[in-house]
């Protein structure tokens, strides 16, 4: 009973903030354009500070775990491929299928991942959280523009597309913050007290803002019709993806409970709000993206609770092949 109460106390603030944002989005009649500054603050200010804070204090050798990076990225690739095939069966359209591939493989690793997993597991999980965030983003933000270019959505040559991908990866605020954090870790740099306090405040603001924005965004895009492939995509995202991570990590070696459980929970998170941002950018599958985020977030209230219970009680062994 105490475990269930602990899980409720862990998850209630996260889904409570999403629910508060959803409620405000339904009741308070503000234009959607009002979210723009909050999103800018989140993506360019608060979350980069959070990722800097997660990395800067970590020994550099913890961030060079290549078997772990390979296992988690391969699992994300498998989830993407399965979701892409599912989308193709329903739409027979390459750009739509790419968006479905993202919906079934891209977790809410930026908004929900770090605060939830650090609260559930502790500071020992910060290194795997950062590695998954960086590697999954590098994979998805590379493969999506390439496939969209092949589909003719981006009217650019292959060389121009590759240049754009490299530029976006290098200049993305999350990746810039990660690089600065790695440099700070390597050089053992300490921020001045005033700057350190600002970074602490901003990193603490990241999760509440992100979850509130998620709720408001879902509220402003009501589900008009359930696309036929959404239940399958949600199953891949919330059930199959974490199972893949668990099996692949167990097959490759003993990574320890903190790293394995962190990876499984990251994979079990609901579809990321960025799916809607990407679909809007390409003007492809916007309603389908909204449906995946909405249904995935609702269903994850159950599935994520179960996975957290299994990991926190030890009912799910961290290594399948000891």
């Amino acid at each position: 009973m105490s475990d269930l109460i602990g899980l409720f106390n862990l998850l209630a603030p996260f889904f409570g903030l999403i629910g508060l944002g959803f409620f405000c989005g339904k009741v308070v009649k503000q234009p959607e354009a009002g979210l723009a500054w909050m999103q800018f603050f989140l993506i360019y200010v608060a979350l980069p500070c959070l990722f800097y804070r997660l990395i800067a204090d970590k020994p550099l050798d913890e961030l060079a775990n290549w078997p772990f990076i390979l296992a988690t990225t391969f699992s994300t690739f498998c989830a993407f491929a399965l979701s892409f095939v599912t989308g193709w069966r329903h739409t027979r359209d390459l750009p739509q299928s790419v968006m479905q591939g993202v919906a079934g493989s891209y977790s809410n690793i930026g908004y929900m991942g770090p605060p939830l997993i650090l609260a559930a597991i502790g500071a020992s999980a910060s290194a795997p959280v950062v590695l998954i965030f960086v590697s999954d983003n590098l994979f998805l933000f590379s493969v999506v523009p390439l496939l969209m270019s092949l589909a003719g959505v981006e009217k650019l040559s292959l060389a121009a597309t590759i240049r754009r991908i490299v530029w976006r990866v290098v200049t993305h605020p999350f990746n810039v913050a990660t690089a600065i954090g790695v440099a700070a870790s390597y050089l053992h740099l300490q921020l001045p007290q005033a700057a350190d306090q600002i970074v602490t405040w901003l990193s603490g603001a990241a999760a509440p803002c992100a979850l509130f924005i998620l709720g408001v965004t879902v509220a402003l895009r009501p589900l008009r019709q359930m696309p036929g492939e959404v239940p399958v995509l949600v199953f891949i995202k919330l059930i199959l993806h974490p199972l893949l991570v668990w099996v692949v990590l167990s097959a490759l070696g003993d990574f320890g409970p903190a790293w394995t459980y962190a990876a499984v929970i990251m994979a079990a998170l609901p579809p990321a709000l960025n799916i809607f941002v990407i679909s809007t950018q390409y003007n492809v599958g916007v309603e389908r993206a909204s449906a995946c985020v909405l249904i995935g977030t609702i269903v994850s209230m159950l599935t994520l609770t179960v996975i957290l219970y299994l990991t926190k009680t030890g009912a799910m062994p961290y290594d399948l092949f000891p």
Side-chain angles (χ1 to χ4, degrees), residues 255-311:
F255 292 93
W259 284 61
T260 301
Y261 288 152
V264 170
I265 297 169
M266 286 282 270
L269 294 171
L273 183 59
N274 283 352
I275 297 165
F276 177 82
V277 176
I278 296 170
S279 64
T280 302
Q281 174 188 346
Y282 291 107
N283 195 27
V284 171
V286 177
E287 289 191 4
R288 281 184 157 88
S290 298
C292 284
V293 173
L294 174 59
I295 302 302
T297 300
I298 293 172
V299 175
S300 72
M301 295 175 70
L302 173 62
T303 58
L304 190 55
T305 300
V306 171
I307 288 177
L308 280 167
Y309 177 81
L310 293 175
T311 56

Side-chain angles (χ1 to χ4, degrees), residues 145 154 164-172 175 281-282:
E154 285 198 327
R164 175 177 287 190
I165 291 170
V166 171
W167 176 250
R168 286 178 177 174
V169 167
V170 169
T171 60
H172 193 285
N175 293 334
Q281 174 188 346
Y282 291 107

Side-chain angles (χ1 to χ4, degrees), residues 13-243:
F14 291 89
F15 288 112
L17 281 171
I18 295 173
L20 178 61
F22 185 86
F23 174 79
C24 292
K26 288 293 187 183
V27 174
V28 182
K29 302 304 179 183
Q30 294 288 341
E32 186 177 347
L35 288 175
W37 271 111
M38 282 192 74
Q39 291 171 338
F40 178 88
F41 169 77
L42 183 65
I43 294 171
Y44 287 90
V45 182
L47 280 171
C49 286
L50 175 61
F51 278 94
Y52 171 84
R53 178 65 74 208
L54 289 175
I55 297 169
D57 298 331
K58 289 287 167 294
L60 203 57
D61 57 350
E62 288 190 29
L63 303 176
N65 195 330
W66 296 110
F68 181 85
I69 295 171
L70 176 64
T72 54
T73 307
F74 174 75
S75 301
T76 300
F77 166 77
C78 291
F80 177 88
L82 289 170
S83 303
F84 177 90
V85 171
T86 300
W88 180 260
R89 289 186 61 189
H90 281 82
T91 65
R92 300 293 175 180
D93 180 79
L94 180 56
Q96 293 267 19
S97 302
V98 173
M99 288 299 101
Q100 304 305 64
V102 176
S105 60
Y106 191 21
S107 299
N108 202 328
I109 52 178
Y111 293 1
M112 288 185 71
L116 175 62
I117 292 169
L118 291 179
I121 299 176
S124 59
S126 57
V129 166
V130 168
L131 290 177
I132 291 171
F133 176 84
V134 173
S135 58
D136 274 13
N137 276 337
L138 286 174
F139 166 68
L140 289 165
F141 289 150
S142 299
V143 73
V144 170
L146 279 175
L147 291 176
M148 286 301 190
S149 178
L150 292 174
V153 175
E154 285 198 327
K155 307 301 181 182
L156 297 172
S157 67
L158 181 60
T161 299
I162 293 173
R163 286 196 297 271
R164 175 177 287 190
I165 291 170
V166 171
W167 176 250
R168 286 178 177 174
V169 167
V170 169
T171 60
H172 193 285
F174 296 169
N175 293 334
V176 171
T178 299
I180 295 173
V182 169
S185 172
Y186 177 74
L187 298 172
H188 303 287
L189 295 179
Q190 294 291 330
L191 291 174
Q193 184 176 350
D196 186 71
Q197 184 62 63
I198 292 173
V199 170
T200 300
W201 282 347
L202 290 173
S203 61
C209 286
L211 297 170
F212 183 83
I213 289 173
L214 175 59
V216 173
T217 304
V218 170
L220 295 178
R221 298 182 180 87
L223 181 61
R224 297 181 179 86
Q225 182 180 2
M226 171 77 80
E229 72 276 15
V230 167
V232 179
L233 295 175
V234 170
F235 174 79
I236 293 171
K237 177 79 241 21
L238 300 181
I239 304 297
L240 197 55
H241 191 188
L243 285 176

